[in-house]
Amino acid sequence: MAMIMTPHINADAQDFAKTVLMPGDPLRSKFIAENYLENARLVNNIRGIQGYTGTYKGTKVSVMASGMGMPSIGIYSYELYNTFGVENIMRIGSTGAMQEHVKVRDIVIGMGACTNSNYVSQFGLSGHYAPIASYPMMKVAIEQAEKLNARYHVGNILSSDTFYSDDDKATPNWQKMGVLCVEMEAAALYMNAARCGKNALAIMTVSDHLVTGEVTTAEERQNSFTQMMEIALNTAVELDK
């Protein structure tokens, strides 16, 4: 096999599966590889961004961290789509609920991703672009959530460039538009997928609540969001059929 090296990934040409699960946290990648994948092997570890490939229910699946924020997932998804032949990327991670009916530990499937980022400007569009998930992936993920009896929500999410915002009106304004939750990666992933002619979906577990103030611990976010992981893994299996 030919070794391919981009600035951020060093792997053999065939090291990655058609579908890659992409948590933000490298330790979450390691957890999934060790607890769900058979014969998992480390295929990338540049800058500690751990990527593994193994099998799940007989299907080749990869999992690699994205790091935090749209610039980071923008880099890794671009290289996976364009250099390593990846077709489907599923962001799996944590999110903060913005609506009272969305509870901590619920699953949110991002149908669309609003953003306060300027990421889209690079594409030279003359209007406002609406980043959306790939419908076939989303349809399968919803089916898998139903099979697991998960409490889930499908709708618009917010991908924010700021974790600590100086604008105290930002959250209420997004809330009144029905945005379900806030995270920091999906919009860039959706835009890269559209530009590359590939597929993307964000499946997230609510880790904290901007209305009630309820939070989960870092350890819980790393290890206990297993229902989200299983939805994504089962979706990967279905996409391979």
Side-chain angles (χ1 to χ4, degrees):
M1 293 185 183
M3 180 67 73
I4 298 174
M5 187 166 183
T6 66
H8 308 91
I9 302 172
N10 186 5
D12 286 337
Q14 304 301 317
D15 271 347
F16 288 97
K18 180 174 73 173
T19 298
V20 176
L21 276 58
M22 188 160 274
D25 186 349
L27 292 178
R28 194 175 292 143
S29 281
K30 186 172 185 287
F31 177 87
I32 294 169
E34 291 178 348
N35 289 275
Y36 288 100
L37 299 185
E38 295 182 1
N39 302 312
R41 59 191 181 89
L42 185 69
V43 296
N44 181 67
N45 199 25
I46 292 180
R47 301 188 183 203
I49 296 294
Q50 298 174 28
Y52 298 86
T53 295
T55 60
Y56 179 75
K57 297 182 179 178
T59 296
K60 184 179 179 181
V61 178
S62 296
V63 54
M64 190 175 83
S66 71
M68 289 190 293
M70 281 177 272
S72 188
I73 199 170
I75 288 169
Y76 288 109
S77 61
Y78 183 94
E79 292 181 2
L80 288 172
Y81 283 142
N82 289 291
T83 304
F84 292 93
V86 170
E87 293 293 325
N88 314 304
I89 296 178
M90 276 182 279
R91 160 160 160 68
I92 53 171
S94 56
T95 189
M98 300 176 77
Q99 303 293 335
E100 289 191 16
H101 71 278
V102 180
K103 307 299 184 184
V104 169
R105 296 183 180 82
D106 284 0
I107 304 292
V108 177
I109 297 172
M111 180 166 57
C114 309
T115 186
N116 58 17
S117 170
N118 200 35
Y119 192 89
V120 72
S121 65
Q122 65 179 301
F123 301 113
L125 303 171
S126 59
H128 296 284
Y129 182 76
I132 59 172
S134 300
Y135 178 76
M137 291 179 70
M138 186 175 71
K139 181 175 182 291
V140 173
I142 291 169
E143 292 169 352
Q144 298 309 312
E146 293 276 359
K147 288 181 180 179
L148 290 175
N149 295 314
R151 179 179 163 87
Y152 71 93
H153 311 268
V154 181
N156 225 348
I157 66 175
L158 170 64
S159 297
S160 178
D161 266 348
T162 50
F163 189 89
Y164 301 105
S165 176
D166 202 43
D167 182 359
D168 58 7
K169 296 180 180 178
T171 294
N173 284 339
W174 289 112
Q175 286 171 323
K176 71 184 181 184
M177 296 303 292
V179 174
L180 298 176
C181 61
V182 58
E183 52 85 68
M184 302 188 74
E185 288 84 24
L189 174 62
Y190 288 5
M191 285 187 256
N192 274 8
R195 180 64 182 90
C196 298
K198 301 296 181 79
N199 305 299
L201 179 67
I203 305 171
M204 297 153 292
T205 300
V206 176
S207 61
D208 58 282
H209 210 293
L210 277 67
V211 178
T212 68
E214 186 178 356
V215 297
T216 55
T217 67
E219 185 177 2
E220 285 176 314
R221 290 192 295 273
Q222 179 184 316
N223 297 330
S224 68
F225 293 171
T226 55
Q227 198 171 51
M228 168 187 66
M229 297 171 188
E230 290 168 12
I231 291 169
L233 287 162
N234 290 333
T235 299
V237 171
E238 292 301 311
L239 292 172
D240 198 57
K241 291 182 178 178

Short mmCIF file of all heavy atoms in Angstrom, two decimals, residues 37-98:
data_model
loop_
_atom_site.label_atom_id
_atom_site.label_comp_id
_atom_site.label_asym_id
_atom_site.label_seq_id
_atom_site.Cartn_x
_atom_site.Cartn_y
_atom_site.Cartn_z
N LEU A 37 -15.12 -1.66 18.17
CA LEU A 37 -14.55 -2.17 16.94
C LEU A 37 -13.75 -3.45 17.18
O LEU A 37 -13.05 -3.58 18.18
CB LEU A 37 -13.63 -1.13 16.29
CG LEU A 37 -14.28 0.21 15.90
CD1 LEU A 37 -13.26 1.07 15.15
CD2 LEU A 37 -15.53 0.00 15.06
N GLU A 38 -13.86 -4.38 16.25
CA GLU A 38 -13.04 -5.59 16.27
C GLU A 38 -11.78 -5.34 15.46
O GLU A 38 -11.82 -4.71 14.41
CB GLU A 38 -13.82 -6.77 15.70
CG GLU A 38 -15.03 -7.19 16.52
CD GLU A 38 -15.73 -8.39 15.95
OE1 GLU A 38 -15.26 -8.92 14.92
OE2 GLU A 38 -16.74 -8.81 16.53
N ASN A 39 -10.66 -5.86 15.97
CA ASN A 39 -9.37 -5.74 15.28
C ASN A 39 -9.03 -4.29 14.95
O ASN A 39 -8.48 -3.99 13.88
CB ASN A 39 -9.36 -6.59 14.00
CG ASN A 39 -9.66 -8.05 14.27
OD1 ASN A 39 -9.08 -8.65 15.18
ND2 ASN A 39 -10.58 -8.63 13.52
N ALA A 40 -9.35 -3.40 15.87
CA ALA A 40 -9.07 -1.99 15.64
C ALA A 40 -7.57 -1.73 15.66
O ALA A 40 -6.84 -2.26 16.50
CB ALA A 40 -9.76 -1.14 16.71
N ARG A 41 -7.12 -0.90 14.74
CA ARG A 41 -5.71 -0.53 14.71
C ARG A 41 -5.60 0.98 14.53
O ARG A 41 -6.42 1.61 13.87
CB ARG A 41 -4.96 -1.26 13.61
CG ARG A 41 -5.47 -1.04 12.23
CD ARG A 41 -4.84 -2.00 11.22
NE ARG A 41 -5.33 -1.75 9.88
CZ ARG A 41 -4.79 -0.90 9.03
NH1 ARG A 41 -3.70 -0.21 9.38
NH2 ARG A 41 -5.29 -0.71 7.83
N LEU A 42 -4.58 1.54 15.13
CA LEU A 42 -4.32 2.96 15.04
C LEU A 42 -3.76 3.27 13.66
O LEU A 42 -2.71 2.74 13.27
CB LEU A 42 -3.35 3.40 16.13
CG LEU A 42 -3.06 4.89 16.26
CD1 LEU A 42 -4.29 5.63 16.78
CD2 LEU A 42 -1.88 5.11 17.21
N VAL A 43 -4.43 4.12 12.88
CA VAL A 43 -3.97 4.44 11.53
C VAL A 43 -3.44 5.86 11.42
O VAL A 43 -2.78 6.20 10.44
CB VAL A 43 -5.08 4.20 10.48
CG1 VAL A 43 -5.46 2.73 10.43
CG2 VAL A 43 -6.31 5.07 10.76
N ASN A 44 -3.73 6.70 12.41
CA ASN A 44 -3.18 8.06 12.42
C ASN A 44 -3.08 8.55 13.85
O ASN A 44 -3.96 8.32 14.66
CB ASN A 44 -4.09 9.02 11.63
CG ASN A 44 -3.53 10.43 11.62
OD1 ASN A 44 -2.47 10.69 11.02
ND2 ASN A 44 -4.21 11.37 12.28
N ASN A 45 -1.97 9.24 14.14
CA ASN A 45 -1.84 9.84 15.47
C ASN A 45 -1.03 11.14 15.41
O ASN A 45 -0.43 11.54 16.40
CB ASN A 45 -1.18 8.86 16.44
CG ASN A 45 -1.42 9.24 17.89
OD1 ASN A 45 -2.40 9.91 18.22
ND2 ASN A 45 -0.52 8.84 18.78
N ILE A 46 -1.02 11.78 14.25
CA ILE A 46 -0.34 13.06 14.15
C ILE A 46 -1.03 14.07 15.08
O ILE A 46 -2.25 14.18 15.10
CB ILE A 46 -0.35 13.57 12.69
CG1 ILE A 46 0.53 12.67 11.82
CG2 ILE A 46 0.15 15.02 12.62
CD1 ILE A 46 0.59 13.10 10.37
N ARG A 47 -0.24 14.78 15.86
CA ARG A 47 -0.74 15.77 16.83
C ARG A 47 -1.69 15.15 17.85
O ARG A 47 -2.50 15.84 18.45
CB ARG A 47 -1.43 16.93 16.12
CG ARG A 47 -0.54 17.67 15.13
CD ARG A 47 -1.20 18.91 14.60
NE ARG A 47 -0.34 19.55 13.60
CZ ARG A 47 -0.41 20.82 13.27
NH1 ARG A 47 -1.29 21.61 13.86
NH2 ARG A 47 0.38 21.32 12.35
N GLY A 48 -1.60 13.83 18.05
CA GLY A 48 -2.45 13.17 19.03
C GLY A 48 -3.89 13.02 18.58
O GLY A 48 -4.75 12.64 19.39
N ILE A 49 -4.19 13.31 17.31
CA ILE A 49 -5.55 13.13 16.79
C ILE A 49 -5.68 11.68 16.34
O ILE A 49 -5.32 11.32 15.23
CB ILE A 49 -5.83 14.11 15.63
CG1 ILE A 49 -5.79 15.54 16.14
CG2 ILE A 49 -7.19 13.82 15.00
CD1 ILE A 49 -6.88 15.90 17.14
N GLN A 50 -6.19 10.87 17.25
CA GLN A 50 -6.17 9.43 17.05
C GLN A 50 -7.24 8.99 16.05
O GLN A 50 -8.41 9.34 16.18
CB GLN A 50 -6.37 8.72 18.39
CG GLN A 50 -5.27 9.03 19.38
CD GLN A 50 -5.53 8.44 20.75
OE1 GLN A 50 -6.19 7.43 20.89
NE2 GLN A 50 -5.01 9.08 21.78
N GLY A 51 -6.80 8.21 15.05
CA GLY A 51 -7.71 7.61 14.09
C GLY A 51 -7.54 6.11 14.09
O GLY A 51 -6.40 5.61 14.06
N TYR A 52 -8.65 5.39 14.14
CA TYR A 52 -8.63 3.93 14.18
C TYR A 52 -9.52 3.37 13.08
O TYR A 52 -10.53 3.97 12.70
CB TYR A 52 -9.16 3.41 15.52
CG TYR A 52 -8.37 3.82 16.73
CD1 TYR A 52 -8.62 5.04 17.37
CD2 TYR A 52 -7.38 3.00 17.26
CE1 TYR A 52 -7.92 5.42 18.49
CE2 TYR A 52 -6.66 3.38 18.39
CZ TYR A 52 -6.93 4.59 19.00
OH TYR A 52 -6.22 4.97 20.11
N THR A 53 -9.17 2.19 12.60
CA THR A 53 -10.04 1.46 11.67
C THR A 53 -10.15 0.02 12.16
O THR A 53 -9.16 -0.60 12.57
CB THR A 53 -9.48 1.49 10.24
OG1 THR A 53 -9.49 2.84 9.77
CG2 THR A 53 -10.33 0.64 9.30
N GLY A 54 -11.37 -0.48 12.14
CA GLY A 54 -11.65 -1.86 12.51
C GLY A 54 -12.95 -2.28 11.85
O GLY A 54 -13.34 -1.73 10.82
N THR A 55 -13.60 -3.26 12.43
CA THR A 55 -14.89 -3.70 11.91
C THR A 55 -15.94 -3.66 13.02
O THR A 55 -15.63 -3.86 14.19
CB THR A 55 -14.83 -5.12 11.31
OG1 THR A 55 -14.42 -6.04 12.33
CG2 THR A 55 -13.88 -5.18 10.13
N TYR A 56 -17.17 -3.41 12.60
CA TYR A 56 -18.31 -3.43 13.51
C TYR A 56 -19.42 -4.20 12.80
O TYR A 56 -19.85 -3.83 11.71
CB TYR A 56 -18.77 -2.01 13.83
CG TYR A 56 -19.98 -1.95 14.74
CD1 TYR A 56 -19.85 -2.21 16.10
CD2 TYR A 56 -21.24 -1.64 14.24
CE1 TYR A 56 -20.95 -2.15 16.94
CE2 TYR A 56 -22.35 -1.58 15.07
CZ TYR A 56 -22.20 -1.84 16.42
OH TYR A 56 -23.30 -1.79 17.26
N LYS A 57 -19.82 -5.31 13.40
CA LYS A 57 -20.81 -6.21 12.79
C LYS A 57 -20.39 -6.59 11.37
O LYS A 57 -21.20 -6.67 10.45
CB LYS A 57 -22.19 -5.57 12.79
CG LYS A 57 -22.75 -5.30 14.18
CD LYS A 57 -24.14 -4.69 14.14
CE LYS A 57 -24.69 -4.46 15.55
NZ LYS A 57 -26.04 -3.83 15.54
N GLY A 58 -19.08 -6.80 11.20
CA GLY A 58 -18.54 -7.22 9.91
C GLY A 58 -18.29 -6.11 8.92
O GLY A 58 -17.79 -6.36 7.81
N THR A 59 -18.60 -4.87 9.27
CA THR A 59 -18.43 -3.73 8.37
C THR A 59 -17.20 -2.93 8.75
O THR A 59 -16.99 -2.61 9.93
CB THR A 59 -19.67 -2.81 8.41
OG1 THR A 59 -20.80 -3.54 7.94
CG2 THR A 59 -19.46 -1.58 7.55
N LYS A 60 -16.39 -2.59 7.77
CA LYS A 60 -15.21 -1.76 8.02
C LYS A 60 -15.66 -0.35 8.39
O LYS A 60 -16.43 0.29 7.67
CB LYS A 60 -14.33 -1.71 6.77
CG LYS A 60 -13.03 -0.95 6.95
CD LYS A 60 -12.21 -0.98 5.65
CE LYS A 60 -10.91 -0.19 5.79
NZ LYS A 60 -10.13 -0.19 4.52
N VAL A 61 -15.19 0.12 9.54
CA VAL A 61 -15.57 1.44 10.05
C VAL A 61 -14.32 2.12 10.61
O VAL A 61 -13.47 1.47 11.22
CB VAL A 61 -16.63 1.34 11.17
CG1 VAL A 61 -16.98 2.73 11.71
CG2 VAL A 61 -17.89 0.66 10.66
N SER A 62 -14.23 3.42 10.40
CA SER A 62 -13.14 4.20 10.99
C SER A 62 -13.70 5.21 11.97
O SER A 62 -14.85 5.64 11.85
CB SER A 62 -12.34 4.93 9.90
OG SER A 62 -11.70 4.03 9.03
N VAL A 63 -12.88 5.57 12.92
CA VAL A 63 -13.24 6.64 13.87
C VAL A 63 -11.99 7.48 14.09
O VAL A 63 -10.90 6.95 14.34
CB VAL A 63 -13.78 6.06 15.20
CG1 VAL A 63 -12.82 5.07 15.83
CG2 VAL A 63 -14.10 7.18 16.17
N MET A 64 -12.14 8.80 13.90
CA MET A 64 -11.01 9.69 14.09
C MET A 64 -11.49 11.02 14.67
O MET A 64 -12.53 11.54 14.25
CB MET A 64 -10.26 9.94 12.79
CG MET A 64 -8.94 10.67 13.01
SD MET A 64 -7.94 10.86 11.51
CE MET A 64 -8.70 12.33 10.81
N ALA A 65 -10.75 11.55 15.61
CA ALA A 65 -11.12 12.81 16.23
C ALA A 65 -11.01 13.97 15.26
O ALA A 65 -10.23 13.93 14.31
CB ALA A 65 -10.24 13.06 17.45
N SER A 66 -11.79 15.01 15.53
CA SER A 66 -11.75 16.22 14.70
C SER A 66 -11.09 17.39 15.40
O SER A 66 -10.78 18.39 14.76
CB SER A 66 -13.17 16.63 14.30
OG SER A 66 -13.88 17.14 15.43
N GLY A 67 -10.91 17.30 16.73
CA GLY A 67 -10.54 18.48 17.47
C GLY A 67 -11.75 19.39 17.62
O GLY A 67 -12.85 19.07 17.20
N MET A 68 -11.54 20.55 18.24
CA MET A 68 -12.65 21.46 18.51
C MET A 68 -12.72 22.59 17.49
O MET A 68 -11.70 23.15 17.10
CB MET A 68 -12.51 22.06 19.91
CG MET A 68 -12.78 21.08 21.03
SD MET A 68 -12.89 21.90 22.64
CE MET A 68 -11.21 22.46 22.85
N GLY A 69 -13.93 22.89 17.06
CA GLY A 69 -14.16 24.05 16.22
C GLY A 69 -14.19 23.77 14.74
O GLY A 69 -13.72 22.74 14.26
N MET A 70 -14.77 24.71 14.00
CA MET A 70 -14.94 24.54 12.56
C MET A 70 -13.63 24.54 11.78
O MET A 70 -13.49 23.76 10.83
CB MET A 70 -15.92 25.59 12.04
CG MET A 70 -17.36 25.19 12.33
SD MET A 70 -18.61 26.40 11.84
CE MET A 70 -18.66 27.42 13.32
N PRO A 71 -12.64 25.34 12.12
CA PRO A 71 -11.38 25.23 11.39
C PRO A 71 -10.76 23.84 11.50
O PRO A 71 -10.23 23.32 10.52
CB PRO A 71 -10.48 26.29 12.07
CG PRO A 71 -11.44 27.30 12.59
CD PRO A 71 -12.63 26.50 13.05
N SER A 72 -10.86 23.22 12.68
CA SER A 72 -10.25 21.91 12.88
C SER A 72 -10.99 20.82 12.11
O SER A 72 -10.39 20.06 11.35
CB SER A 72 -10.21 21.58 14.38
OG SER A 72 -9.46 20.39 14.60
N ILE A 73 -12.32 20.73 12.28
CA ILE A 73 -13.05 19.70 11.54
C ILE A 73 -13.02 19.99 10.04
O ILE A 73 -13.07 19.07 9.22
CB ILE A 73 -14.50 19.55 12.05
CG1 ILE A 73 -15.07 18.19 11.61
CG2 ILE A 73 -15.39 20.69 11.58
CD1 ILE A 73 -16.39 17.83 12.26
N GLY A 74 -12.90 21.28 9.69
CA GLY A 74 -12.78 21.62 8.28
C GLY A 74 -11.54 21.01 7.66
O GLY A 74 -11.57 20.50 6.53
N ILE A 75 -10.43 21.06 8.37
CA ILE A 75 -9.18 20.48 7.88
C ILE A 75 -9.29 18.97 7.74
O ILE A 75 -9.00 18.39 6.68
CB ILE A 75 -8.02 20.85 8.83
CG1 ILE A 75 -7.66 22.32 8.69
CG2 ILE A 75 -6.79 19.98 8.56
CD1 ILE A 75 -6.71 22.83 9.76
N TYR A 76 -9.70 18.30 8.82
CA TYR A 76 -9.70 16.83 8.81
C TYR A 76 -10.71 16.26 7.84
O TYR A 76 -10.44 15.29 7.13
CB TYR A 76 -9.91 16.29 10.23
CG TYR A 76 -8.71 16.50 11.11
CD1 TYR A 76 -8.72 17.44 12.14
CD2 TYR A 76 -7.54 15.79 10.89
CE1 TYR A 76 -7.61 17.66 12.93
CE2 TYR A 76 -6.42 16.00 11.67
CZ TYR A 76 -6.46 16.94 12.69
OH TYR A 76 -5.34 17.15 13.46
N SER A 77 -11.90 16.84 7.78
CA SER A 77 -12.90 16.32 6.85
C SER A 77 -12.46 16.55 5.41
O SER A 77 -12.65 15.69 4.54
CB SER A 77 -14.27 16.95 7.12
OG SER A 77 -14.25 18.35 6.95
N TYR A 78 -11.85 17.70 5.12
CA TYR A 78 -11.37 17.98 3.76
C TYR A 78 -10.35 16.93 3.33
O TYR A 78 -10.42 16.40 2.21
CB TYR A 78 -10.75 19.37 3.71
CG TYR A 78 -10.30 19.77 2.33
CD1 TYR A 78 -11.14 20.50 1.48
CD2 TYR A 78 -9.04 19.43 1.85
CE1 TYR A 78 -10.73 20.87 0.21
CE2 TYR A 78 -8.61 19.78 0.58
CZ TYR A 78 -9.47 20.50 -0.24
OH TYR A 78 -9.06 20.84 -1.51
N GLU A 79 -9.40 16.64 4.21
CA GLU A 79 -8.35 15.67 3.85
C GLU A 79 -8.92 14.26 3.70
O GLU A 79 -8.53 13.52 2.79
CB GLU A 79 -7.23 15.72 4.88
CG GLU A 79 -6.46 17.04 4.84
CD GLU A 79 -5.33 17.13 5.83
OE1 GLU A 79 -5.07 16.14 6.56
OE2 GLU A 79 -4.68 18.19 5.90
N LEU A 80 -9.86 13.89 4.57
CA LEU A 80 -10.46 12.56 4.46
C LEU A 80 -11.28 12.42 3.18
O LEU A 80 -11.20 11.41 2.47
CB LEU A 80 -11.34 12.28 5.68
CG LEU A 80 -10.60 12.02 6.98
CD1 LEU A 80 -11.58 11.96 8.15
CD2 LEU A 80 -9.77 10.74 6.93
N TYR A 81 -12.08 13.43 2.86
CA TYR A 81 -12.89 13.39 1.65
C TYR A 81 -12.04 13.39 0.38
O TYR A 81 -12.29 12.63 -0.56
CB TYR A 81 -13.82 14.61 1.59
CG TYR A 81 -15.04 14.56 2.48
CD1 TYR A 81 -15.48 15.73 3.11
CD2 TYR A 81 -15.79 13.40 2.67
CE1 TYR A 81 -16.62 15.73 3.91
CE2 TYR A 81 -16.93 13.40 3.46
CZ TYR A 81 -17.34 14.57 4.08
OH TYR A 81 -18.47 14.56 4.86
N ASN A 82 -11.03 14.26 0.33
CA ASN A 82 -10.32 14.50 -0.92
C ASN A 82 -9.08 13.65 -1.13
O ASN A 82 -8.68 13.45 -2.28
CB ASN A 82 -9.93 15.99 -1.00
CG ASN A 82 -11.13 16.88 -1.23
OD1 ASN A 82 -11.73 16.86 -2.30
ND2 ASN A 82 -11.50 17.66 -0.23
N THR A 83 -8.48 13.18 -0.05
CA THR A 83 -7.24 12.43 -0.20
C THR A 83 -7.40 10.94 0.09
O THR A 83 -6.76 10.11 -0.55
CB THR A 83 -6.15 13.01 0.73
OG1 THR A 83 -5.99 14.41 0.42
CG2 THR A 83 -4.82 12.31 0.53
N PHE A 84 -8.27 10.60 1.04
CA PHE A 84 -8.38 9.21 1.47
C PHE A 84 -9.65 8.52 1.01
O PHE A 84 -9.93 7.40 1.43
CB PHE A 84 -8.24 9.13 3.00
CG PHE A 84 -6.85 9.49 3.48
CD1 PHE A 84 -6.56 10.78 3.87
CD2 PHE A 84 -5.85 8.54 3.50
CE1 PHE A 84 -5.28 11.13 4.28
CE2 PHE A 84 -4.56 8.88 3.92
CZ PHE A 84 -4.27 10.18 4.31
N GLY A 85 -10.42 9.15 0.16
CA GLY A 85 -11.57 8.49 -0.45
C GLY A 85 -12.74 8.23 0.46
O GLY A 85 -13.61 7.40 0.16
N VAL A 86 -12.81 8.92 1.59
CA VAL A 86 -13.93 8.74 2.51
C VAL A 86 -15.20 9.34 1.88
O VAL A 86 -15.17 10.41 1.28
CB VAL A 86 -13.63 9.41 3.87
CG1 VAL A 86 -14.86 9.45 4.76
CG2 VAL A 86 -12.49 8.67 4.56
N GLU A 87 -16.32 8.61 2.01
CA GLU A 87 -17.59 9.05 1.43
C GLU A 87 -18.53 9.67 2.46
O GLU A 87 -19.29 10.57 2.12
CB GLU A 87 -18.29 7.86 0.76
CG GLU A 87 -17.57 7.31 -0.45
CD GLU A 87 -17.56 8.28 -1.61
OE1 GLU A 87 -18.54 9.02 -1.79
OE2 GLU A 87 -16.54 8.33 -2.34
N ASN A 88 -18.49 9.16 3.69
CA ASN A 88 -19.46 9.57 4.71
C ASN A 88 -18.72 9.92 5.99
O ASN A 88 -17.91 9.13 6.48
CB ASN A 88 -20.44 8.43 5.02
CG ASN A 88 -20.99 7.77 3.77
OD1 ASN A 88 -21.56 8.44 2.91
ND2 ASN A 88 -20.83 6.45 3.67
N ILE A 89 -19.02 11.08 6.56
CA ILE A 89 -18.48 11.45 7.86
C ILE A 89 -19.63 11.79 8.79
O ILE A 89 -20.51 12.58 8.44
CB ILE A 89 -17.50 12.64 7.79
CG1 ILE A 89 -16.27 12.26 6.96
CG2 ILE A 89 -17.07 13.07 9.19
CD1 ILE A 89 -15.27 13.39 6.79
N MET A 90 -19.64 11.15 9.94
CA MET A 90 -20.63 11.44 10.97
C MET A 90 -19.95 12.09 12.17
O MET A 90 -19.12 11.46 12.81
CB MET A 90 -21.34 10.15 11.41
CG MET A 90 -22.49 9.75 10.53
SD MET A 90 -23.32 8.26 11.13
CE MET A 90 -22.22 7.00 10.48
N ARG A 91 -20.29 13.33 12.41
CA ARG A 91 -19.82 13.96 13.65
C ARG A 91 -20.63 13.38 14.80
O ARG A 91 -21.86 13.33 14.76
CB ARG A 91 -20.02 15.48 13.59
CG ARG A 91 -20.03 16.10 14.98
CD ARG A 91 -19.74 17.57 14.99
NE ARG A 91 -20.20 18.19 16.23
CZ ARG A 91 -19.70 17.97 17.45
NH1 ARG A 91 -18.71 17.10 17.61
NH2 ARG A 91 -20.19 18.59 18.51
N ILE A 92 -19.94 12.90 15.82
CA ILE A 92 -20.60 12.43 17.04
C ILE A 92 -19.96 13.18 18.20
O ILE A 92 -18.75 13.14 18.38
CB ILE A 92 -20.50 10.91 17.21
CG1 ILE A 92 -19.05 10.43 17.11
CG2 ILE A 92 -21.36 10.19 16.19
CD1 ILE A 92 -18.87 8.97 17.48
N GLY A 93 -20.76 13.88 18.95
CA GLY A 93 -20.17 14.67 20.02
C GLY A 93 -21.21 15.22 20.97
O GLY A 93 -22.36 14.79 20.96
N SER A 94 -20.80 16.17 21.76
CA SER A 94 -21.68 16.76 22.76
C SER A 94 -22.25 18.06 22.25
O SER A 94 -21.71 18.70 21.34
CB SER A 94 -20.92 16.98 24.07
OG SER A 94 -19.78 17.78 23.85
N THR A 95 -23.36 18.48 22.85
CA THR A 95 -24.01 19.72 22.46
C THR A 95 -24.74 20.30 23.66
O THR A 95 -25.08 19.58 24.60
CB THR A 95 -24.99 19.47 21.29
OG1 THR A 95 -25.47 20.72 20.79
CG2 THR A 95 -26.17 18.61 21.71
N GLY A 96 -24.97 21.60 23.61
CA GLY A 96 -25.71 22.28 24.67
C GLY A 96 -27.13 22.59 24.23
O GLY A 96 -27.33 23.26 23.21
N ALA A 97 -28.11 22.10 24.97
CA ALA A 97 -29.52 22.30 24.61
C ALA A 97 -29.92 23.76 24.76
O ALA A 97 -29.51 24.44 25.70
CB ALA A 97 -30.43 21.42 25.46
N MET A 98 -30.76 24.23 23.83
CA MET A 98 -31.24 25.60 23.86
C MET A 98 -32.76 25.70 24.01
O MET A 98 -33.30 26.80 24.09
CB MET A 98 -30.81 26.35 22.59
CG MET A 98 -29.31 26.42 22.41
SD MET A 98 -28.81 27.20 20.86
CE MET A 98 -29.07 28.92 21.25
#
